[in-house]
Amino acid sequence: MESENLTIIEQLEKLRITSSSEIPPHEFLYTWNGVPCFARGELVAVTGKAKSGKTYLNSILMAAAGLEPALNAGLTDKGHFLGLERIREKPLRVVWIDTEQSADSTHEILRDRIGAMMGAEASEDAYHVFNLRQVRWQDRMTLVLAAIAICMPDLVIFDGIRDVVGDINNYEEAQNTIGQLLKVASEYKTCIVCVLHQNKAAEDKTLRGALGTELQNKSFETYECKKDPETRIFSIQQTATRKYDMPNKIQFCVDKEGLPVGCAAGLEPEQASHADTSQPGVKEIFRTAMMGQSEMRAGALKAQVMMRQNLRSDSIYGGLLGTALQQGVLIRRAVSDREVYYQPGPQMIEPQLDFGG
């Protein structure tokens, strides 16, 4: 190795950072309700209790990564799910490592959930999915590192990181594992999303074991997933970040097809568990907010919906807007340097673009 041939002084000089050092800024893969998130070259921790929605979050990330332009279906050209939006126009290259579920479950999620959310089959060139549950734990990390090196992805979903160590409480194993992932994340400029459960006690939200401690310490961001047992509403909250704070929770329900959809607070349990993306509620919300206008600027539309629905959370509005775009209730486009939404179909009156926002 190069470092073995350098003196201590030479190594330190090579690693030194000064105010004039030319170091590129972080490059993010997504924005969530306008907040940059999921940075290249970094680890991101996703945690929560069992069955709290961690795989749904991963599915949302992967679907938004690969969505192709489909404005006629009410989807944005970059991908927009529950306020999550891919930054670059070109789809992302994804590696999904699944060590927890059966191969059948992995395939079903790829085909019936991620594919359904995208409105198209997941491309084999862009999506590289590996189920390692049947592989010995001692051999899994070698395959994980090889998959990243061969596929050179923009995004890695590693579900779950616990299954590449023999003892989750072994600090040497934990440091070695996280160190290897940090190295390849930096080397290949990829964002590695590591899924790890919280401790089992209801009030204990810390990540499990020494591995969880090391992952929490080295992660760029941490996201906590929860499920309300009464309303069956899932929520995602950023609990730690080194850069941009995301102050609001993202909330979603699961529809009859098993897909995550935006939902407003206050749904009855039965409504939340059987939410239907074809129901007229979202259409009526935005039809009323647009006050008969065929087009409305983004800021003005948000203000009207927030006021008329008495919403206090940006994430709830983001969920409603994402659902409206997916259903084709609204279509988004740029007019000059402004973002405008319009309702497809026969126009009631000429567009009015003199709203604030």
Side-chain angles (χ1 to χ4, degrees):
M1 294 178 60
E2 183 183 352
S3 61
E4 295 175 350
N5 299 320
L6 298 176
T7 67
I8 294 295
I9 294 176
E10 288 172 333
Q11 289 185 53
L12 285 173
E13 188 60 32
K14 187 176 181 180
L15 298 170
R16 186 182 179 191
I17 303 292
T18 69
S19 58
S20 60
S21 297
E22 295 183 0
I23 298 176
H26 277 103
E27 180 183 350
F28 294 89
L29 300 182
Y30 301 98
T31 60
W32 212 329
N33 290 330
V35 179
C37 52
F38 297 90
R40 290 183 183 275
E42 299 284 358
L43 305 186
V44 172
V46 168
T47 188
K49 303 298 183 185
K51 312 302 180 186
S52 60
K54 297 183 292 297
T55 304
Y56 277 113
L57 171 54
N58 293 337
S59 300
I60 292 166
L61 290 170
M62 288 189 278
L67 189 68
E68 294 286 354
L71 288 174
N72 60 344
L75 302 174
T76 72
D77 58 345
K78 295 180 182 177
H80 189 162
F81 295 101
L82 303 174
L84 180 76
E85 191 163 11
R86 188 174 74 238
I87 290 177
R88 80 178 193 189
E89 185 171 350
K90 180 182 177 182
L92 304 175
R93 194 175 184 87
V94 178
V95 163
W96 176 19
I97 305 292
D98 191 350
T99 64
E100 294 199 342
Q101 303 176 105
S102 66
D104 179 66
S105 294
T106 304
H107 181 247
E108 184 176 310
I109 291 171
L110 177 66
R111 180 193 62 202
D112 298 336
R113 182 187 299 170
I114 297 171
M117 292 170 68
M118 292 169 56
E121 185 175 307
S123 164
E124 293 185 10
D125 293 329
Y127 287 82
H128 300 266
V129 181
F130 305 95
N131 187 291
L132 305 185
R133 192 169 80 162
Q134 72 275 23
V135 178
R136 295 192 321 153
W137 74 262
Q138 296 95 329
D139 300 328
R140 289 172 181 152
M141 193 61 172
T142 299
L143 294 175
V144 171
L145 298 177
I148 295 172
I150 294 169
C151 301
M152 302 184 68
D154 302 293
L155 175 71
V156 176
I157 302 295
F158 191 173
D159 188 2
I161 189 175
R162 185 265 173 272
D163 295 321
V164 297
V165 299
D167 182 358
I168 198 171
N169 291 307
N170 185 306
Y171 279 93
E172 184 175 352
E173 273 194 284
Q175 290 176 337
N176 184 53
T177 299
I178 299 302
Q180 290 182 83
L181 292 174
L182 280 170
K183 183 176 183 296
V184 297
S186 178
E187 183 176 353
Y188 293 102
K189 303 301 180 187
T190 183
C191 176
I192 303 180
V193 178
C194 301
V195 180
L196 184 64
H197 287 240
Q198 294 174 342
N199 286 308
K200 292 184 179 180
E203 300 304 317
D204 189 352
K205 296 184 178 181
T206 55
L207 280 67
R208 291 184 60 195
L211 183 63
T213 300
E214 189 68 8
L215 176 60
Q216 180 70 77
N217 288 341
K218 299 297 172 60
S219 290
F220 189 82
E221 299 170 300
T222 300
Y223 293 88
E224 181 184 18
C225 299
K226 292 182 179 180
K227 180 182 179 182
D228 188 309
E230 295 185 2
T231 64
R232 303 175 194 173
I233 294 177
F234 292 89
S235 65
I236 302 164
Q237 184 170 23
Q238 183 197 70
T239 57
T241 180
R242 297 185 189 275
K243 195 78 171 181
Y244 299 111
D245 289 312
M246 190 181 301
N248 299 313
K249 294 181 180 179
I250 310 299
Q251 292 183 304
F252 65 91
C253 308
V254 177
D255 69 11
K256 294 185 294 185
E257 305 301 322
L259 303 179
V261 295
C263 60
L267 285 179
E268 294 298 322
E270 187 68 15
Q271 290 177 298
S273 61
H274 297 289
D276 186 347
T277 56
S278 65
Q279 60 187 329
V282 171
K283 184 175 183 179
E284 181 64 21
I285 286 172
F286 285 96
R287 186 195 68 79
T288 302
M290 292 184 77
M291 302 177 293
Q293 306 297 333
S294 59
E295 297 194 18
M296 186 174 282
R297 291 180 185 170
L301 179 61
K302 179 179 178 180
Q304 286 293 326
V305 172
M306 297 285 281
M307 177 187 69
R308 291 170 181 271
Q309 301 301 317
N310 194 28
L311 300 182
R312 298 178 181 274
S313 169
D314 287 344
S315 64
I316 292 177
Y317 174 77
L320 289 171
L321 180 61
T323 300
L325 289 166
Q326 290 184 50
Q327 291 181 13
V329 170
L330 293 176
I331 293 178
R332 178 165 49 186
R333 70 180 185 184
V335 176
S336 298
D337 61 342
R338 301 179 185 277
E339 189 177 73
V340 172
Y341 293 90
Y342 73 94
Q343 297 172 304
Q347 303 303 309
M348 297 174 62
I349 61 176
E350 289 299 311
Q352 300 292 317
L353 299 177
D354 57 344
F355 293 95

